């Protein structure tokens, strides 16, 4: 009997390590963005030095440590405003060396060819929930390829309240 369940997609696991692996692979933590930096520095008075930016980080934020590491790597200078901090952050990111075999390069196109929950979800982008099985099938006719449509045709004729329900149904039929 499953003891551990994912709070995001309700997948269940008998071992905690499997849940942890699921979280890392299926629901990875998002990288810090420029918007996250600006939010973390909300309320700071500019101009400010890099050290003053570090002191201004809200330590109650669960990502404060990651944000502090980014700020430590920014050039040591006076920043006029949050936009200048964002530009410096963008400069850091654009100079990072990227591997040639990134999943986005070699796997992205291939991933959209193979039926998956994410692939099926992309077919329903823009649909209003709740929706019946027939409404899903009707909506998909304009957006799905033949393989996707074959899977969607197997969906039960019930009411789907969210994309989570669609993903569960995909798991049931595939």
């Amino acid at each position: 009997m499953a003891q551990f369940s994912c709070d995001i997609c309700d997948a269940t696991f008998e071992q905690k390590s499997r849940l942890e692996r699921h979280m890392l692979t299926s629901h990875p933590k998002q990288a810090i963005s420029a918007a996250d930096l600006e939010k973390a520095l909300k309320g700071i008075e500019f101009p400010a030095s890099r050290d003053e930016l570090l002191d201004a980080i809200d330590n109650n934020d669960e990502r404060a440590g990651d944000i502090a590491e980014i700020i430590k790597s920014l050039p040591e200078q006076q920043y006029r405003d949050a936009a200048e901090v964002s530009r410096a952050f963008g400069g850091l990111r654009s100079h990072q060396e990227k591997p040639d075999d990134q999943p986005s390069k070699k796997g992205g196109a291939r991933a959209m060819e193979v039926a998956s929950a994410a692939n099926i979800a992309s077919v329903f982008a823009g649909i209003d929930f709740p929706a019946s099985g027939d409404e899903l099938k009707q909506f998909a006719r304009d957006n799905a390829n033949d393989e996707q449509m074959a899977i969607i045709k197997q969906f039960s004729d019930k009411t789907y309240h969210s994309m989570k329900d669609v993903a569960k149904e995909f798991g049931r039929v595939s």
Side-chain angles (χ1 to χ4, degrees), residues 22-150:
H22 166 79
M23 293 303 294
L24 290 172
T25 57
S26 298
H27 312 293
K29 188 168 93 174
Q30 286 186 317
I32 302 293
S33 69
D36 294 327
L37 277 178
E38 287 189 38
K39 182 179 175 186
L41 298 173
K42 184 178 178 181
I44 188 171
E45 282 195 40
F46 286 96
S49 68
R50 183 179 66 185
D51 291 337
E52 290 170 324
L53 296 176
L54 281 169
D55 291 340
I57 295 173
D58 178 6
N59 289 323
N60 294 326
D61 186 333
E62 67 183 46
R63 302 175 85 183
D66 295 336
I67 291 170
E69 288 302 312
I70 290 170
I71 291 175
K72 286 177 188 174
S73 63
L74 293 176
E76 192 168 326
Q77 68 180 53
Q78 283 289 114
Y79 293 92
R80 290 184 303 235
D81 53 25
E84 192 169 33
V85 174
S86 294
R87 282 191 298 276
F89 173 61
L92 286 176
R93 296 192 72 179
S94 66
H95 290 84
Q96 292 175 344
E97 197 165 315
K98 296 169 183 66
D100 290 334
D101 62 342
Q102 294 182 57
S104 61
K105 285 187 179 179
K106 73 179 190 183
R110 198 172 341 147
M112 290 311 289
E113 294 169 5
V114 179
S116 68
N119 182 302
I120 296 294
S122 70
V123 169
F124 297 112
I127 194 168
D128 292 325
F129 289 100
S132 69
D134 286 339
E135 289 171 324
L136 290 178
K137 293 168 191 169
Q138 181 68 32
F139 188 88
R141 285 191 183 114
D142 296 332
N143 303 315
N145 63 33
D146 292 339
E147 183 183 7
Q148 293 166 332
M149 204 60 218

